[in-house]
Amino acid sequence: MQLGLVGLGKMGFPMRDRLRERGHEVVGYDPRPEVTDVDSLEELVSALETPRTVWVMVPAGEITRDTIAALASVLESGDLVIDGGNSRYTDDRGHAELLAASGIGYLDCGVSGGVWGRDEGYGLMVGGSAADVARAEPIFEALRPDGERAGGFVHAGPVGAGHYAKMVHNGVEYGLMQAYAEGYELLAAEELITDVPGVLRAWTHGTVVRSWLLELLVKALDEDPGFAGIGGYVEDSGEGRWTVREALDHAVPTPVISAALFARFSSRQSDSPAMQAVSALRNQFGGHAVHGAGQTGP
């Protein structure tokens, strides 16, 4: 199958490789001349036979919205656009309506797999019509992991469902990463444990907490024992926040995901204003000693 791919970054570049290795013709566009196949969206569209399918793999938000709008102006009726980025699901209806005005179909696809997807395959969560999903099936089949289809692909529902599913997936990922990180810190704090990486490695097979994330934690420790070269400042992509907001809207308790998100906020504070206030209050009512700014111990 022929595919136009817009965005050849950390995800799009290896996706192009995987698709080509599996027999598909991919025409990629990226502003960076060293990776692009064509020089513009117009040239990409001209290089594709009708009806065209174009996969968008660019950062969520304004860049995605601008790309969808640009494609709406150069594609034709009968073409199909797939947004595989981490767009917020609430953007999908607007994208679908904009494209539908020109007779262009739209699918939203949550994609998981990161930099390992080229070899391992990508978990795919798709929203849109059954007809559009069927049309793009050869692409989904090439991208998903080998093995049982249901183990790496789902048509989650109508437009918006794919990105909603990916949003919740990433919220769960926040909680899992935080749990592994807290377990690592507790092991490292106990002098009885003389081989922290070895304990984590022993968990990777046979135990109920085994997972790919755990394997990646072990790999990270192999590469940088004790994480001596890594700072504790942790960004959030936005999907954790969206997940917590959805939980509030649906009155669904998500204490683990929420705590994991707030832990990332805490990582960015050298001196937490809230904890400074707690220290001051302990001093006021109990005469407890306070530490100087930036002091981390007695």
Side-chain angles (χ1 to χ4, degrees):
M1 181 174 172
Q2 192 182 53
L3 180 75
L5 180 58
V6 181
L8 301 170
K10 288 187 296 183
M11 291 285 281
F13 189 90
M15 287 173 66
R16 178 177 62 176
D17 286 346
R18 183 175 175 88
L19 288 166
R20 285 176 173 172
E21 288 168 359
R22 296 185 173 223
H24 296 282
E25 179 187 350
V26 183
V27 181
Y29 168 69
D30 191 279
R32 295 173 299 154
E34 65 271 21
V35 298
T36 194
D37 299 317
V38 293
D39 295 328
S40 66
L41 286 179
E42 291 80 4
E43 189 175 334
L44 178 141
V45 169
S46 297
L48 300 174
E49 300 174 359
T50 59
R52 308 172 184 88
T53 299
V54 178
W55 189 299
V56 177
M57 205 69 193
V58 301
E62 185 177 357
I63 296 176
T64 293
R65 290 190 288 270
D66 289 347
T67 301
I68 297 292
L71 287 171
S73 68
V74 294
L75 291 174
E76 300 174 350
S77 179
D79 292 341
L80 174 65
V81 172
I82 304 170
D83 177 11
N86 280 336
S87 295
R88 192 168 187 179
Y89 80 97
T90 51
D91 288 346
D92 289 317
R93 180 175 295 179
H95 294 162
E97 291 175 351
L98 174 65
L99 293 165
S102 299
I104 303 166
Y106 177 78
L107 296 173
D108 59 285
C109 183
V111 181
S112 181
V115 297
W116 299 88
R118 173 181 174 175
D119 298 323
E120 301 291 336
Y122 300 89
L124 305 174
M125 297 143 268
V126 184
S129 73
D132 284 338
V133 172
R135 173 176 164 181
E137 182 175 355
I139 298 300
F140 296 140
E141 283 294 297
L143 289 174
R144 72 172 181 84
D146 295 333
E148 183 185 7
R149 175 183 172 86
F153 174 88
V154 63
H155 179 193
V159 166
H163 282 145
Y164 194 96
K166 179 57 164 50
M167 174 191 69
V168 177
H169 166 281
N170 280 23
V172 171
E173 184 181 276
Y174 275 48
L176 290 171
M177 285 193 288
Q178 187 65 27
Y180 285 135
E182 291 174 7
Y184 160 74
E185 183 171 0
L186 186 55
L187 288 169
E190 174 51 59
E191 63 180 15
L192 287 172
I193 304 298
T194 59
D195 185 359
V196 174
V199 171
L200 295 173
R201 192 183 307 277
W203 292 355
T204 60
H205 292 83
T207 77
V208 296
V209 299
R210 66 188 185 274
S211 76
W212 187 27
L213 277 175
L214 180 58
E215 292 173 11
L216 292 176
L217 177 57
V218 171
K219 180 177 182 293
L221 281 168
D222 286 343
E223 295 173 351
D224 185 358
F227 301 131
I230 299 177
Y233 187 107
V234 184
E235 291 283 4
D236 68 287
S237 63
E239 297 214 20
R241 302 185 190 208
W242 301 343
T243 304
V244 172
R245 288 171 186 162
E246 286 296 312
L248 293 171
D249 289 344
H250 290 285
V252 173
T254 56
V256 172
I257 294 173
S258 301
L261 175 63
F262 295 144
R264 296 194 181 193
F265 297 162
S266 296
S267 78
R268 304 167 198 174
Q269 299 176 314
S270 56
D271 274 313
S272 164
M275 298 315 295
Q276 286 174 313
V278 170
S279 181
L281 285 169
R282 292 181 76 248
N283 176 259
Q284 288 292 324
F285 72 72
H288 300 288
V290 296
H291 298 280
Q295 186 176 350
T296 59

PDB file of all heavy atoms in Angstrom, residues 79-116:
ATOM      1  N   ASP A  79      -9.915  11.059  -0.194  1.00  0.00           N
ATOM      2  CA  ASP A  79      -8.658  10.820   0.502  1.00  0.00           C
ATOM      3  C   ASP A  79      -8.915  10.570   1.988  1.00  0.00           C
ATOM      4  O   ASP A  79     -10.014  10.792   2.497  1.00  0.00           O
ATOM      5  CB  ASP A  79      -7.702  12.015   0.333  1.00  0.00           C
ATOM      6  CG  ASP A  79      -7.216  12.174  -1.110  1.00  0.00           C
ATOM      7  OD1 ASP A  79      -7.312  11.205  -1.881  1.00  0.00           O
ATOM      8  OD2 ASP A  79      -6.754  13.277  -1.444  1.00  0.00           O
ATOM      9  N   LEU A  80      -7.886  10.116   2.699  1.00  0.00           N
ATOM     10  CA  LEU A  80      -8.010   9.772   4.120  1.00  0.00           C
ATOM     11  C   LEU A  80      -6.814  10.311   4.890  1.00  0.00           C
ATOM     12  O   LEU A  80      -5.667  10.163   4.450  1.00  0.00           O
ATOM     13  CB  LEU A  80      -8.080   8.248   4.282  1.00  0.00           C
ATOM     14  CG  LEU A  80      -8.079   7.684   5.712  1.00  0.00           C
ATOM     15  CD1 LEU A  80      -9.338   8.095   6.466  1.00  0.00           C
ATOM     16  CD2 LEU A  80      -7.952   6.157   5.682  1.00  0.00           C
ATOM     17  N   VAL A  81      -7.080  10.915   6.043  1.00  0.00           N
ATOM     18  CA  VAL A  81      -6.032  11.412   6.934  1.00  0.00           C
ATOM     19  C   VAL A  81      -6.089  10.639   8.245  1.00  0.00           C
ATOM     20  O   VAL A  81      -7.181  10.436   8.808  1.00  0.00           O
ATOM     21  CB  VAL A  81      -6.183  12.920   7.213  1.00  0.00           C
ATOM     22  CG1 VAL A  81      -5.199  13.381   8.292  1.00  0.00           C
ATOM     23  CG2 VAL A  81      -5.981  13.721   5.932  1.00  0.00           C
ATOM     24  N   ILE A  82      -4.933  10.215   8.737  1.00  0.00           N
ATOM     25  CA  ILE A  82      -4.823   9.534  10.033  1.00  0.00           C
ATOM     26  C   ILE A  82      -3.922  10.379  10.926  1.00  0.00           C
ATOM     27  O   ILE A  82      -2.776  10.666  10.568  1.00  0.00           O
ATOM     28  CB  ILE A  82      -4.216   8.124   9.883  1.00  0.00           C
ATOM     29  CG1 ILE A  82      -5.022   7.285   8.898  1.00  0.00           C
ATOM     30  CG2 ILE A  82      -4.136   7.431  11.250  1.00  0.00           C
ATOM     31  CD1 ILE A  82      -4.352   5.968   8.519  1.00  0.00           C
ATOM     32  N   ASP A  83      -4.431  10.791  12.084  1.00  0.00           N
ATOM     33  CA  ASP A  83      -3.607  11.502  13.062  1.00  0.00           C
ATOM     34  C   ASP A  83      -3.082  10.489  14.071  1.00  0.00           C
ATOM     35  O   ASP A  83      -3.825   9.994  14.915  1.00  0.00           O
ATOM     36  CB  ASP A  83      -4.424  12.594  13.768  1.00  0.00           C
ATOM     37  CG  ASP A  83      -3.607  13.320  14.848  1.00  0.00           C
ATOM     38  OD1 ASP A  83      -2.375  13.128  14.899  1.00  0.00           O
ATOM     39  OD2 ASP A  83      -4.210  14.071  15.637  1.00  0.00           O
ATOM     40  N   GLY A  84      -1.778  10.193  13.987  1.00  0.00           N
ATOM     41  CA  GLY A  84      -1.163   9.214  14.877  1.00  0.00           C
ATOM     42  C   GLY A  84      -0.406   9.839  16.038  1.00  0.00           C
ATOM     43  O   GLY A  84       0.243   9.126  16.793  1.00  0.00           O
ATOM     44  N   GLY A  85      -0.492  11.159  16.186  1.00  0.00           N
ATOM     45  CA  GLY A  85       0.182  11.824  17.287  1.00  0.00           C
ATOM     46  C   GLY A  85      -0.618  11.728  18.574  1.00  0.00           C
ATOM     47  O   GLY A  85      -1.650  11.059  18.641  1.00  0.00           O
ATOM     48  N   ASN A  86      -0.157  12.432  19.602  1.00  0.00           N
ATOM     49  CA  ASN A  86      -0.827  12.396  20.906  1.00  0.00           C
ATOM     50  C   ASN A  86      -1.810  13.548  21.066  1.00  0.00           C
ATOM     51  O   ASN A  86      -1.845  14.206  22.110  1.00  0.00           O
ATOM     52  CB  ASN A  86       0.205  12.426  22.035  1.00  0.00           C
ATOM     53  CG  ASN A  86       0.822  11.065  22.289  1.00  0.00           C
ATOM     54  OD1 ASN A  86       0.235  10.028  21.972  1.00  0.00           O
ATOM     55  ND2 ASN A  86       2.025  11.051  22.840  1.00  0.00           N
ATOM     56  N   SER A  87      -2.612  13.796  20.047  1.00  0.00           N
ATOM     57  CA  SER A  87      -3.599  14.866  20.119  1.00  0.00           C
ATOM     58  C   SER A  87      -4.612  14.592  21.224  1.00  0.00           C
ATOM     59  O   SER A  87      -4.936  13.434  21.522  1.00  0.00           O
ATOM     60  CB  SER A  87      -4.346  14.998  18.794  1.00  0.00           C
ATOM     61  OG  SER A  87      -3.485  15.412  17.762  1.00  0.00           O
ATOM     62  N   ARG A  88      -5.145  15.657  21.810  1.00  0.00           N
ATOM     63  CA  ARG A  88      -6.218  15.488  22.774  1.00  0.00           C
ATOM     64  C   ARG A  88      -7.477  15.062  22.027  1.00  0.00           C
ATOM     65  O   ARG A  88      -7.771  15.593  20.938  1.00  0.00           O
ATOM     66  CB  ARG A  88      -6.458  16.781  23.542  1.00  0.00           C
ATOM     67  CG  ARG A  88      -7.363  16.572  24.752  1.00  0.00           C
ATOM     68  CD  ARG A  88      -7.374  17.768  25.663  1.00  0.00           C
ATOM     69  NE  ARG A  88      -8.124  17.468  26.878  1.00  0.00           N
ATOM     70  CZ  ARG A  88      -8.299  18.320  27.874  1.00  0.00           C
ATOM     71  NH1 ARG A  88      -7.773  19.548  27.786  1.00  0.00           N
ATOM     72  NH2 ARG A  88      -8.986  17.984  28.948  1.00  0.00           N
ATOM     73  N   TYR A  89      -8.202  14.125  22.575  1.00  0.00           N
ATOM     74  CA  TYR A  89      -9.334  13.539  21.858  1.00  0.00           C
ATOM     75  C   TYR A  89     -10.387  14.578  21.492  1.00  0.00           C
ATOM     76  O   TYR A  89     -11.137  14.422  20.521  1.00  0.00           O
ATOM     77  CB  TYR A  89      -9.950  12.397  22.670  1.00  0.00           C
ATOM     78  CG  TYR A  89     -10.882  12.838  23.767  1.00  0.00           C
ATOM     79  CD1 TYR A  89     -12.265  12.867  23.572  1.00  0.00           C
ATOM     80  CD2 TYR A  89     -10.392  13.241  25.010  1.00  0.00           C
ATOM     81  CE1 TYR A  89     -13.124  13.281  24.579  1.00  0.00           C
ATOM     82  CE2 TYR A  89     -11.237  13.651  26.011  1.00  0.00           C
ATOM     83  CZ  TYR A  89     -12.604  13.672  25.796  1.00  0.00           C
ATOM     84  OH  TYR A  89     -13.450  14.087  26.795  1.00  0.00           O
ATOM     85  N   THR A  90     -10.443  15.658  22.274  1.00  0.00           N
ATOM     86  CA  THR A  90     -11.432  16.699  21.991  1.00  0.00           C
ATOM     87  C   THR A  90     -11.126  17.462  20.703  1.00  0.00           C
ATOM     88  O   THR A  90     -12.005  18.142  20.162  1.00  0.00           O
ATOM     89  CB  THR A  90     -11.512  17.688  23.167  1.00  0.00           C
ATOM     90  OG1 THR A  90     -10.186  18.128  23.497  1.00  0.00           O
ATOM     91  CG2 THR A  90     -12.126  17.034  24.395  1.00  0.00           C
ATOM     92  N   ASP A  91      -9.898  17.356  20.196  1.00  0.00           N
ATOM     93  CA  ASP A  91      -9.549  17.999  18.925  1.00  0.00           C
ATOM     94  C   ASP A  91     -10.023  17.188  17.725  1.00  0.00           C
ATOM     95  O   ASP A  91     -10.126  17.718  16.612  1.00  0.00           O
ATOM     96  CB  ASP A  91      -8.030  18.188  18.816  1.00  0.00           C
ATOM     97  CG  ASP A  91      -7.493  19.265  19.736  1.00  0.00           C
ATOM     98  OD1 ASP A  91      -8.294  20.061  20.268  1.00  0.00           O
ATOM     99  OD2 ASP A  91      -6.261  19.305  19.937  1.00  0.00           O
ATOM    100  N   ASP A  92     -10.282  15.911  17.931  1.00  0.00           N
ATOM    101  CA  ASP A  92     -10.533  15.022  16.801  1.00  0.00           C
ATOM    102  C   ASP A  92     -11.817  15.360  16.040  1.00  0.00           C
ATOM    103  O   ASP A  92     -11.853  15.293  14.814  1.00  0.00           O
ATOM    104  CB  ASP A  92     -10.570  13.567  17.272  1.00  0.00           C
ATOM    105  CG  ASP A  92      -9.200  13.054  17.665  1.00  0.00           C
ATOM    106  OD1 ASP A  92      -8.234  13.335  16.936  1.00  0.00           O
ATOM    107  OD2 ASP A  92      -9.087  12.376  18.706  1.00  0.00           O
ATOM    108  N   ARG A  93     -12.862  15.719  16.762  1.00  0.00           N
ATOM    109  CA  ARG A  93     -14.117  16.026  16.074  1.00  0.00           C
ATOM    110  C   ARG A  93     -13.942  17.209  15.135  1.00  0.00           C
ATOM    111  O   ARG A  93     -14.426  17.203  13.997  1.00  0.00           O
ATOM    112  CB  ARG A  93     -15.229  16.316  17.081  1.00  0.00           C
ATOM    113  CG  ARG A  93     -16.573  16.652  16.410  1.00  0.00           C
ATOM    114  CD  ARG A  93     -17.683  16.815  17.423  1.00  0.00           C
ATOM    115  NE  ARG A  93     -17.961  15.568  18.110  1.00  0.00           N
ATOM    116  CZ  ARG A  93     -18.877  15.449  19.070  1.00  0.00           C
ATOM    117  NH1 ARG A  93     -19.581  16.499  19.461  1.00  0.00           N
ATOM    118  NH2 ARG A  93     -19.087  14.272  19.633  1.00  0.00           N
ATOM    119  N   GLY A  94     -13.217  18.244  15.600  1.00  0.00           N
ATOM    120  CA  GLY A  94     -12.968  19.398  14.748  1.00  0.00           C
ATOM    121  C   GLY A  94     -12.154  19.035  13.516  1.00  0.00           C
ATOM    122  O   GLY A  94     -12.432  19.511  12.409  1.00  0.00           O
ATOM    123  N   HIS A  95     -11.130  18.185  13.695  1.00  0.00           N
ATOM    124  CA  HIS A  95     -10.334  17.739  12.558  1.00  0.00           C
ATOM    125  C   HIS A  95     -11.206  16.974  11.560  1.00  0.00           C
ATOM    126  O   HIS A  95     -11.123  17.194  10.343  1.00  0.00           O
ATOM    127  CB  HIS A  95      -9.201  16.829  13.027  1.00  0.00           C
ATOM    128  CG  HIS A  95      -8.180  17.529  13.858  1.00  0.00           C
ATOM    129  ND1 HIS A  95      -7.294  16.850  14.668  1.00  0.00           N
ATOM    130  CD2 HIS A  95      -7.874  18.841  14.009  1.00  0.00           C
ATOM    131  CE1 HIS A  95      -6.498  17.724  15.277  1.00  0.00           C
ATOM    132  NE2 HIS A  95      -6.845  18.929  14.903  1.00  0.00           N
ATOM    133  N   ALA A  96     -12.049  16.069  12.079  1.00  0.00           N
ATOM    134  CA  ALA A  96     -12.902  15.259  11.214  1.00  0.00           C
ATOM    135  C   ALA A  96     -13.886  16.128  10.439  1.00  0.00           C
ATOM    136  O   ALA A  96     -14.120  15.912   9.242  1.00  0.00           O
ATOM    137  CB  ALA A  96     -13.647  14.218  12.049  1.00  0.00           C
ATOM    138  N   GLU A  97     -14.453  17.118  11.106  1.00  0.00           N
ATOM    139  CA  GLU A  97     -15.433  17.998  10.450  1.00  0.00           C
ATOM    140  C   GLU A  97     -14.778  18.867   9.386  1.00  0.00           C
ATOM    141  O   GLU A  97     -15.346  19.074   8.302  1.00  0.00           O
ATOM    142  CB  GLU A  97     -16.142  18.860  11.491  1.00  0.00           C
ATOM    143  CG  GLU A  97     -17.066  18.064  12.407  1.00  0.00           C
ATOM    144  CD  GLU A  97     -17.671  18.897  13.523  1.00  0.00           C
ATOM    145  OE1 GLU A  97     -17.220  20.071  13.689  1.00  0.00           O
ATOM    146  OE2 GLU A  97     -18.565  18.406  14.230  1.00  0.00           O
ATOM    147  N   LEU A  98     -13.589  19.369   9.689  1.00  0.00           N
ATOM    148  CA  LEU A  98     -12.870  20.191   8.715  1.00  0.00           C
ATOM    149  C   LEU A  98     -12.579  19.395   7.454  1.00  0.00           C
ATOM    150  O   LEU A  98     -12.780  19.868   6.328  1.00  0.00           O
ATOM    151  CB  LEU A  98     -11.567  20.694   9.336  1.00  0.00           C
ATOM    152  CG  LEU A  98     -10.612  21.463   8.413  1.00  0.00           C
ATOM    153  CD1 LEU A  98     -11.240  22.766   7.959  1.00  0.00           C
ATOM    154  CD2 LEU A  98      -9.284  21.727   9.115  1.00  0.00           C
ATOM    155  N   LEU A  99     -12.092  18.176   7.611  1.00  0.00           N
ATOM    156  CA  LEU A  99     -11.769  17.335   6.466  1.00  0.00           C
ATOM    157  C   LEU A  99     -13.018  16.849   5.741  1.00  0.00           C
ATOM    158  O   LEU A  99     -13.051  16.782   4.506  1.00  0.00           O
ATOM    159  CB  LEU A  99     -10.923  16.149   6.932  1.00  0.00           C
ATOM    160  CG  LEU A  99      -9.523  16.502   7.439  1.00  0.00           C
ATOM    161  CD1 LEU A  99      -8.913  15.343   8.221  1.00  0.00           C
ATOM    162  CD2 LEU A  99      -8.606  16.909   6.291  1.00  0.00           C
ATOM    163  N   ALA A 100     -14.059  16.530   6.498  1.00  0.00           N
ATOM    164  CA  ALA A 100     -15.301  16.035   5.895  1.00  0.00           C
ATOM    165  C   ALA A 100     -15.929  17.066   4.968  1.00  0.00           C
ATOM    166  O   ALA A 100     -16.607  16.712   3.989  1.00  0.00           O
ATOM    167  CB  ALA A 100     -16.288  15.633   6.978  1.00  0.00           C
ATOM    168  N   ALA A 101     -15.711  18.351   5.259  1.00  0.00           N
ATOM    169  CA  ALA A 101     -16.264  19.407   4.400  1.00  0.00           C
ATOM    170  C   ALA A 101     -15.711  19.322   2.987  1.00  0.00           C
ATOM    171  O   ALA A 101     -16.336  19.810   2.040  1.00  0.00           O
ATOM    172  CB  ALA A 101     -15.949  20.777   5.003  1.00  0.00           C
ATOM    173  N   SER A 102     -14.537  18.679   2.838  1.00  0.00           N
ATOM    174  CA  SER A 102     -13.939  18.483   1.518  1.00  0.00           C
ATOM    175  C   SER A 102     -14.020  17.030   1.076  1.00  0.00           C
ATOM    176  O   SER A 102     -13.339  16.622   0.121  1.00  0.00           O
ATOM    177  CB  SER A 102     -12.471  18.929   1.535  1.00  0.00           C
ATOM    178  OG  SER A 102     -12.362  20.298   1.855  1.00  0.00           O
ATOM    179  N   GLY A 103     -14.834  16.228   1.780  1.00  0.00           N
ATOM    180  CA  GLY A 103     -15.003  14.832   1.409  1.00  0.00           C
ATOM    181  C   GLY A 103     -13.841  13.941   1.796  1.00  0.00           C
ATOM    182  O   GLY A 103     -13.675  12.848   1.241  1.00  0.00           O
ATOM    183  N   ILE A 104     -13.044  14.387   2.749  1.00  0.00           N
ATOM    184  CA  ILE A 104     -11.852  13.643   3.174  1.00  0.00           C
ATOM    185  C   ILE A 104     -12.151  12.909   4.481  1.00  0.00           C
ATOM    186  O   ILE A 104     -12.701  13.495   5.416  1.00  0.00           O
ATOM    187  CB  ILE A 104     -10.658  14.603   3.378  1.00  0.00           C
ATOM    188  CG1 ILE A 104     -10.391  15.389   2.084  1.00  0.00           C
ATOM    189  CG2 ILE A 104      -9.410  13.837   3.817  1.00  0.00           C
ATOM    190  CD1 ILE A 104      -9.481  16.581   2.276  1.00  0.00           C
ATOM    191  N   GLY A 105     -11.794  11.633   4.569  1.00  0.00           N
ATOM    192  CA  GLY A 105     -12.021  10.843   5.772  1.00  0.00           C
ATOM    193  C   GLY A 105     -10.968  11.131   6.836  1.00  0.00           C
ATOM    194  O   GLY A 105      -9.915  11.707   6.555  1.00  0.00           O
ATOM    195  N   TYR A 106     -11.269  10.686   8.078  1.00  0.00           N
ATOM    196  CA  TYR A 106     -10.363  10.960   9.192  1.00  0.00           C
ATOM    197  C   TYR A 106     -10.399   9.823  10.196  1.00  0.00           C
ATOM    198  O   TYR A 106     -11.474   9.326  10.564  1.00  0.00           O
ATOM    199  CB  TYR A 106     -10.762  12.261   9.891  1.00  0.00           C
ATOM    200  CG  TYR A 106      -9.924  12.597  11.104  1.00  0.00           C
ATOM    201  CD1 TYR A 106      -8.652  13.144  10.968  1.00  0.00           C
ATOM    202  CD2 TYR A 106     -10.401  12.370  12.395  1.00  0.00           C
ATOM    203  CE1 TYR A 106      -7.876  13.456  12.082  1.00  0.00           C
ATOM    204  CE2 TYR A 106      -9.639  12.684  13.513  1.00  0.00           C
ATOM    205  CZ  TYR A 106      -8.379  13.219  13.351  1.00  0.00           C
ATOM    206  OH  TYR A 106      -7.617  13.531  14.449  1.00  0.00           O
ATOM    207  N   LEU A 107      -9.211   9.406  10.637  1.00  0.00           N
ATOM    208  CA  LEU A 107      -9.054   8.453  11.729  1.00  0.00           C
ATOM    209  C   LEU A 107      -8.098   9.036  12.755  1.00  0.00           C
ATOM    210  O   LEU A 107      -7.125   9.710  12.393  1.00  0.00           O
ATOM    211  CB  LEU A 107      -8.480   7.121  11.227  1.00  0.00           C
ATOM    212  CG  LEU A 107      -9.307   6.288  10.254  1.00  0.00           C
ATOM    213  CD1 LEU A 107      -8.478   5.096   9.754  1.00  0.00           C
ATOM    214  CD2 LEU A 107     -10.588   5.799  10.900  1.00  0.00           C
ATOM    215  N   ASP A 108      -8.377   8.808  14.035  1.00  0.00           N
ATOM    216  CA  ASP A 108      -7.399   9.147  15.074  1.00  0.00           C
ATOM    217  C   ASP A 108      -6.819   7.839  15.597  1.00  0.00           C
ATOM    218  O   ASP A 108      -7.544   6.883  15.839  1.00  0.00           O
ATOM    219  CB  ASP A 108      -8.036   9.969  16.199  1.00  0.00           C
ATOM    220  CG  ASP A 108      -9.186   9.258  16.876  1.00  0.00           C
ATOM    221  OD1 ASP A 108     -10.283   9.174  16.273  1.00  0.00           O
ATOM    222  OD2 ASP A 108      -9.020   8.780  18.018  1.00  0.00           O
ATOM    223  N   CYS A 109      -5.504   7.826  15.743  1.00  0.00           N
ATOM    224  CA  CYS A 109      -4.830   6.583  16.126  1.00  0.00           C
ATOM    225  C   CYS A 109      -3.836   6.854  17.246  1.00  0.00           C
ATOM    226  O   CYS A 109      -2.831   7.543  17.039  1.00  0.00           O
ATOM    227  CB  CYS A 109      -4.113   5.974  14.924  1.00  0.00           C
ATOM    228  SG  CYS A 109      -3.306   4.392  15.276  1.00  0.00           S
ATOM    229  N   GLY A 110      -4.124   6.326  18.424  1.00  0.00           N
ATOM    230  CA  GLY A 110      -3.155   6.354  19.500  1.00  0.00           C
ATOM    231  C   GLY A 110      -2.071   5.333  19.221  1.00  0.00           C
ATOM    232  O   GLY A 110      -2.366   4.181  18.881  1.00  0.00           O
ATOM    233  N   VAL A 111      -0.817   5.745  19.335  1.00  0.00           N
ATOM    234  CA  VAL A 111       0.321   4.887  18.996  1.00  0.00           C
ATOM    235  C   VAL A 111       1.243   4.769  20.194  1.00  0.00           C
ATOM    236  O   VAL A 111       1.690   5.775  20.748  1.00  0.00           O
ATOM    237  CB  VAL A 111       1.108   5.450  17.797  1.00  0.00           C
ATOM    238  CG1 VAL A 111       2.282   4.528  17.448  1.00  0.00           C
ATOM    239  CG2 VAL A 111       0.202   5.623  16.591  1.00  0.00           C
ATOM    240  N   SER A 112       1.552   3.538  20.608  1.00  0.00           N
ATOM    241  CA  SER A 112       2.494   3.298  21.691  1.00  0.00           C
ATOM    242  C   SER A 112       3.593   2.369  21.200  1.00  0.00           C
ATOM    243  O   SER A 112       3.336   1.454  20.413  1.00  0.00           O
ATOM    244  CB  SER A 112       1.783   2.674  22.893  1.00  0.00           C
ATOM    245  OG  SER A 112       2.691   2.460  23.960  1.00  0.00           O
ATOM    246  N   GLY A 113       4.788   2.594  21.668  1.00  0.00           N
ATOM    247  CA  GLY A 113       5.910   1.758  21.256  1.00  0.00           C
ATOM    248  C   GLY A 113       7.221   2.493  21.299  1.00  0.00           C
ATOM    249  O   GLY A 113       8.292   1.878  21.367  1.00  0.00           O
ATOM    250  N   GLY A 114       7.146   3.825  21.250  1.00  0.00           N
ATOM    251  CA  GLY A 114       8.346   4.633  21.372  1.00  0.00           C
ATOM    252  C   GLY A 114       9.417   4.276  20.362  1.00  0.00           C
ATOM    253  O   GLY A 114       9.137   3.834  19.241  1.00  0.00           O
ATOM    254  N   VAL A 115      10.665   4.443  20.779  1.00  0.00           N
ATOM    255  CA  VAL A 115      11.790   4.222  19.871  1.00  0.00           C
ATOM    256  C   VAL A 115      12.007   2.747  19.564  1.00  0.00           C
ATOM    257  O   VAL A 115      12.791   2.399  18.675  1.00  0.00           O
ATOM    258  CB  VAL A 115      13.081   4.836  20.449  1.00  0.00           C
ATOM    259  CG1 VAL A 115      12.955   6.345  20.589  1.00  0.00           C
ATOM    260  CG2 VAL A 115      13.436   4.215  21.795  1.00  0.00           C
ATOM    261  N   TRP A 116      11.320   1.864  20.286  1.00  0.00           N
ATOM    262  CA  TRP A 116      11.471   0.428  20.068  1.00  0.00           C
ATOM    263  C   TRP A 116      10.481  -0.120  19.041  1.00  0.00           C
ATOM    264  O   TRP A 116      10.541  -1.289  18.667  1.00  0.00           O
ATOM    265  CB  TRP A 116      11.279  -0.326  21.389  1.00  0.00           C
ATOM    266  CG  TRP A 116      12.283   0.047  22.424  1.00  0.00           C
ATOM    267  CD1 TRP A 116      12.193   1.065  23.332  1.00  0.00           C
ATOM    268  CD2 TRP A 116      13.543  -0.570  22.652  1.00  0.00           C
ATOM    269  NE1 TRP A 116      13.318   1.114  24.127  1.00  0.00           N
ATOM    270  CE2 TRP A 116      14.168   0.116  23.724  1.00  0.00           C
ATOM    271  CE3 TRP A 116      14.210  -1.653  22.072  1.00  0.00           C
ATOM    272  CZ2 TRP A 116      15.426  -0.246  24.223  1.00  0.00           C
ATOM    273  CZ3 TRP A 116      15.455  -2.012  22.570  1.00  0.00           C
ATOM    274  CH2 TRP A 116      16.042  -1.309  23.617  1.00  0.00           C
TER     275      TRP A 116
END
